[in-house]
Amino acid sequence: MCAGYNATVLAYGQTGSGKTYTMGGAYGINIEGIEDMTGIIPRVILDLYSGIEERADAFDFVVKISYLEVQFLMLPLLPVDISVI
């Protein structure tokens, strides 16, 4: 994970199909000990900061994270032509 790559994870699908749960898991619950309820985002953050901690003496790190969730009703607010939908 700490090899200097940029990454994007995109979850797309029908309403109620589990995208938010897959990405975040059971938000608000301590993830230690319940790995089966932990989503992609908390797993990546935990792994990322574990890697940073292991290499903190040898390197300086900059971490930038963005999270964006677009609802269908928000599409008209985006500066794109949605007439193809």
Side-chain angles (χ1 to χ4, degrees):
M1 165 137 343
C2 292
Y5 295 103
N6 293 320
T8 299
V9 177
L10 175 68
Y12 176 82
Q14 183 174 340
T15 299
S17 62
K19 299 174 297 295
T20 301
Y21 184 78
T22 299
M23 296 299 283
Y27 284 114
I29 296 177
N30 187 350
I31 63 172
E32 292 183 26
I34 54 168
E35 288 79 18
D36 57 334
M37 295 179 69
T38 305
I40 294 169
I41 294 171
R43 290 173 192 254
V44 168
I45 297 298
L46 186 63
D47 191 44
L48 176 65
Y49 281 97
S50 293
I52 288 172
E53 188 175 337
E54 291 173 6
R55 298 164 180 85
D57 294 336
F59 300 99
D60 292 326
F61 292 90
V62 175
V63 177
K64 296 180 182 180
I65 300 172
S66 298
Y67 176 85
L68 175 67
E69 184 171 341
V70 178
Q71 302 289 329
F72 183 75
L73 296 175
M74 296 170 64
L75 287 178
L77 301 175
L78 297 176
V80 294
D81 181 13
I82 65 165
S83 62
V84 295
I85 297 177

